[in-house]
Amino acid sequence: MDRTGEHAVKPTACAALAVALLVLTTACTAEEAPPPGDVAHYAPEGPGGDAAQLIGQLERLDGCVYVVVPGPDGRTVPVFPDDPAIRWDGETLLAASLALPLGEQVELGGGEGSAGSDSISVPEACDPDAPLFIVNS
């Protein structure tokens, strides 16, 4: 008996279904990925402001991302708004709709923050004495 009748499932239909499921699974997984472990982040609780600007060189030191600035503070921990799209693309940090290459000067708008807030997550590897800069969402 031949299985090429009306009710037979064609191999191309199965392959198309498998590809569609793989794409759907990948899309859902990417959206739920947490920020990299070396990037400080926070849950925005409303629109942020640009009252201050942080200008310096983006560095990844000992498991923590800093903006290194001249002066006594030396390095500041930028705290980015939570976003499933925060990730590293090679040596470039993609966060807050910005592409921030390591070793390059960056300019970030936002304001000073403190680690006392429950909405802020700072990697344990970061210097606890380094100032925090909340990047505008």
Side-chain angles (χ1 to χ4, degrees), residues 10-11 13 23 33-34 43 55 64 74 81 86 98 101 109 124 126 134 136:
K10 296 183 180 186
V23 168
I55 301 172
C64 183
I86 295 176
L98 302 169
E124 288 185 23
C126 293
I134 309 301
N136 183 15

Side-chain angles (χ1 to χ4, degrees), residues 34-128:
D38 55 358
V39 177
H41 55 94
Y42 70 98
E45 297 173 356
D50 285 328
Q53 194 169 35
L54 177 63
I55 301 172
Q57 186 171 334
L58 188 73
E59 297 291 341
R60 186 170 21 183
L61 305 168
D62 302 320
C64 183
V65 172
Y66 295 98
V67 174
V68 179
V69 297
D73 288 335
R75 55 188 181 178
T76 299
V77 178
V79 184
F80 295 95
D82 279 336
D83 183 346
I86 295 176
R87 67 186 184 285
W88 286 101
D89 182 9
E91 295 293 303
T92 300
L93 178 61
L94 304 175
S97 302
L98 302 169
L100 307 166
L102 281 175
E104 299 290 326
Q105 180 170 304
V106 297
E107 297 182 24
L108 303 171
E112 292 184 16
S114 66
S117 171
D118 289 339
S119 67
I120 295 177
S121 176
V122 179
E124 288 185 23
C126 293
D127 178 354

